[in-house]
PDB file of all heavy atoms in Angstrom:
ATOM      1  N   LEU A1819     -23.960 -38.035  11.507  1.00  0.00           N
ATOM      2  CA  LEU A1819     -23.737 -39.471  11.787  1.00  0.00           C
ATOM      3  C   LEU A1819     -22.370 -39.995  11.462  1.00  0.00           C
ATOM      4  O   LEU A1819     -21.988 -41.109  11.701  1.00  0.00           O
ATOM      5  CB  LEU A1819     -24.765 -40.288  10.989  1.00  0.00           C
ATOM      6  CG  LEU A1819     -26.248 -40.004  11.209  1.00  0.00           C
ATOM      7  CD1 LEU A1819     -27.096 -40.853  10.311  1.00  0.00           C
ATOM      8  CD2 LEU A1819     -26.616 -40.221  12.670  1.00  0.00           C
ATOM      9  N   GLU A1820     -21.521 -39.021  10.930  1.00  0.00           N
ATOM     10  CA  GLU A1820     -20.177 -39.445  10.509  1.00  0.00           C
ATOM     11  C   GLU A1820     -19.158 -39.271  11.631  1.00  0.00           C
ATOM     12  O   GLU A1820     -19.040 -38.099  12.111  1.00  0.00           O
ATOM     13  CB  GLU A1820     -19.757 -38.640   9.246  1.00  0.00           C
ATOM     14  CG  GLU A1820     -20.590 -38.956   8.015  1.00  0.00           C
ATOM     15  CD  GLU A1820     -20.444 -40.344   7.488  1.00  0.00           C
ATOM     16  OE1 GLU A1820     -19.335 -40.877   7.655  1.00  0.00           O
ATOM     17  OE2 GLU A1820     -21.446 -40.903   6.912  1.00  0.00           O
ATOM     18  N   SER A1821     -18.491 -40.293  12.007  1.00  0.00           N
ATOM     19  CA  SER A1821     -17.573 -40.189  13.132  1.00  0.00           C
ATOM     20  C   SER A1821     -16.371 -39.298  12.840  1.00  0.00           C
ATOM     21  O   SER A1821     -15.802 -38.706  13.773  1.00  0.00           O
ATOM     22  CB  SER A1821     -17.037 -41.599  13.514  1.00  0.00           C
ATOM     23  OG  SER A1821     -16.398 -42.236  12.447  1.00  0.00           O
ATOM     24  N   LYS A1822     -16.000 -39.157  11.571  1.00  0.00           N
ATOM     25  CA  LYS A1822     -14.776 -38.309  11.268  1.00  0.00           C
ATOM     26  C   LYS A1822     -15.129 -36.850  11.121  1.00  0.00           C
ATOM     27  O   LYS A1822     -14.202 -36.052  11.029  1.00  0.00           O
ATOM     28  CB  LYS A1822     -14.152 -38.797   9.895  1.00  0.00           C
ATOM     29  CG  LYS A1822     -13.477 -40.178  10.031  1.00  0.00           C
ATOM     30  CD  LYS A1822     -12.452 -40.341   9.003  1.00  0.00           C
ATOM     31  CE  LYS A1822     -11.227 -39.418   9.261  1.00  0.00           C
ATOM     32  NZ  LYS A1822     -10.131 -39.713   8.263  1.00  0.00           N
ATOM     33  N   PHE A1823     -16.401 -36.538  11.239  1.00  0.00           N
ATOM     34  CA  PHE A1823     -16.712 -35.061  11.078  1.00  0.00           C
ATOM     35  C   PHE A1823     -16.057 -34.260  12.101  1.00  0.00           C
ATOM     36  O   PHE A1823     -15.472 -33.206  11.862  1.00  0.00           O
ATOM     37  CB  PHE A1823     -18.274 -34.868  11.143  1.00  0.00           C
ATOM     38  CG  PHE A1823     -18.660 -33.427  10.948  1.00  0.00           C
ATOM     39  CD1 PHE A1823     -18.802 -32.864   9.713  1.00  0.00           C
ATOM     40  CD2 PHE A1823     -18.859 -32.577  12.092  1.00  0.00           C
ATOM     41  CE1 PHE A1823     -19.177 -31.531   9.566  1.00  0.00           C
ATOM     42  CE2 PHE A1823     -19.257 -31.290  11.912  1.00  0.00           C
ATOM     43  CZ  PHE A1823     -19.430 -30.752  10.651  1.00  0.00           C
ATOM     44  N   GLN A1824     -16.130 -34.681  13.366  1.00  0.00           N
ATOM     45  CA  GLN A1824     -15.518 -33.904  14.476  1.00  0.00           C
ATOM     46  C   GLN A1824     -13.937 -33.762  14.290  1.00  0.00           C
ATOM     47  O   GLN A1824     -13.411 -32.684  14.535  1.00  0.00           O
ATOM     48  CB  GLN A1824     -15.761 -34.599  15.799  1.00  0.00           C
ATOM     49  CG  GLN A1824     -15.402 -33.713  17.063  1.00  0.00           C
ATOM     50  CD  GLN A1824     -16.211 -32.431  17.091  1.00  0.00           C
ATOM     51  OE1 GLN A1824     -17.352 -32.335  16.655  1.00  0.00           O
ATOM     52  NE2 GLN A1824     -15.601 -31.329  17.584  1.00  0.00           N
ATOM     53  N   GLU A1825     -13.316 -34.804  13.856  1.00  0.00           N
ATOM     54  CA  GLU A1825     -11.886 -34.772  13.564  1.00  0.00           C
ATOM     55  C   GLU A1825     -11.543 -33.761  12.483  1.00  0.00           C
ATOM     56  O   GLU A1825     -10.635 -32.909  12.632  1.00  0.00           O
ATOM     57  CB  GLU A1825     -11.355 -36.188  13.260  1.00  0.00           C
ATOM     58  CG  GLU A1825      -9.852 -36.205  12.936  1.00  0.00           C
ATOM     59  CD  GLU A1825      -9.412 -37.562  12.394  1.00  0.00           C
ATOM     60  OE1 GLU A1825     -10.093 -38.594  12.689  1.00  0.00           O
ATOM     61  OE2 GLU A1825      -8.355 -37.635  11.687  1.00  0.00           O
ATOM     62  N   HIS A1826     -12.260 -33.805  11.417  1.00  0.00           N
ATOM     63  CA  HIS A1826     -12.123 -32.873  10.297  1.00  0.00           C
ATOM     64  C   HIS A1826     -12.358 -31.404  10.824  1.00  0.00           C
ATOM     65  O   HIS A1826     -11.693 -30.475  10.431  1.00  0.00           O
ATOM     66  CB  HIS A1826     -13.002 -33.211   9.131  1.00  0.00           C
ATOM     67  CG  HIS A1826     -12.585 -34.369   8.378  1.00  0.00           C
ATOM     68  ND1 HIS A1826     -11.284 -34.713   8.033  1.00  0.00           N
ATOM     69  CD2 HIS A1826     -13.319 -35.382   7.821  1.00  0.00           C
ATOM     70  CE1 HIS A1826     -11.253 -35.840   7.329  1.00  0.00           C
ATOM     71  NE2 HIS A1826     -12.518 -36.328   7.233  1.00  0.00           N
ATOM     72  N   PHE A1827     -13.407 -31.317  11.631  1.00  0.00           N
ATOM     73  CA  PHE A1827     -13.779 -29.930  12.196  1.00  0.00           C
ATOM     74  C   PHE A1827     -12.666 -29.399  13.000  1.00  0.00           C
ATOM     75  O   PHE A1827     -12.255 -28.178  12.808  1.00  0.00           O
ATOM     76  CB  PHE A1827     -15.004 -30.099  12.990  1.00  0.00           C
ATOM     77  CG  PHE A1827     -15.549 -28.830  13.557  1.00  0.00           C
ATOM     78  CD1 PHE A1827     -16.391 -28.006  12.812  1.00  0.00           C
ATOM     79  CD2 PHE A1827     -15.134 -28.372  14.774  1.00  0.00           C
ATOM     80  CE1 PHE A1827     -16.878 -26.837  13.342  1.00  0.00           C
ATOM     81  CE2 PHE A1827     -15.600 -27.177  15.342  1.00  0.00           C
ATOM     82  CZ  PHE A1827     -16.469 -26.404  14.547  1.00  0.00           C
ATOM     83  N   VAL A1828     -12.080 -30.117  13.852  1.00  0.00           N
ATOM     84  CA  VAL A1828     -10.918 -29.664  14.781  1.00  0.00           C
ATOM     85  C   VAL A1828      -9.795 -29.234  13.908  1.00  0.00           C
ATOM     86  O   VAL A1828      -9.255 -28.146  14.124  1.00  0.00           O
ATOM     87  CB  VAL A1828     -10.566 -30.774  15.789  1.00  0.00           C
ATOM     88  CG1 VAL A1828      -9.240 -30.369  16.510  1.00  0.00           C
ATOM     89  CG2 VAL A1828     -11.690 -31.007  16.722  1.00  0.00           C
ATOM     90  N   HIS A1829      -9.398 -30.019  12.906  1.00  0.00           N
ATOM     91  CA  HIS A1829      -8.229 -29.660  12.009  1.00  0.00           C
ATOM     92  C   HIS A1829      -8.621 -28.433  11.229  1.00  0.00           C
ATOM     93  O   HIS A1829      -7.657 -27.589  10.960  1.00  0.00           O
ATOM     94  CB  HIS A1829      -7.959 -30.840  11.059  1.00  0.00           C
ATOM     95  CG  HIS A1829      -7.323 -31.975  11.732  1.00  0.00           C
ATOM     96  ND1 HIS A1829      -7.449 -33.316  11.241  1.00  0.00           N
ATOM     97  CD2 HIS A1829      -6.684 -32.111  12.955  1.00  0.00           C
ATOM     98  CE1 HIS A1829      -6.900 -34.114  12.062  1.00  0.00           C
ATOM     99  NE2 HIS A1829      -6.402 -33.484  13.070  1.00  0.00           N
ATOM    100  N   ALA A1830      -9.891 -28.233  10.898  1.00  0.00           N
ATOM    101  CA  ALA A1830     -10.275 -27.075  10.038  1.00  0.00           C
ATOM    102  C   ALA A1830     -10.353 -25.764  10.814  1.00  0.00           C
ATOM    103  O   ALA A1830     -10.543 -24.747  10.205  1.00  0.00           O
ATOM    104  CB  ALA A1830     -11.586 -27.437   9.296  1.00  0.00           C
TER     105      ALA A1830
END
Side-chain angles (χ1 to χ4, degrees):
L1819 301 178
E1820 296 292 329
S1821 58
K1822 288 204 71 175
F1823 181 83
Q1824 191 62 31
E1825 179 185 337
H1826 288 318
F1827 180 88
V1828 170
H1829 291 154

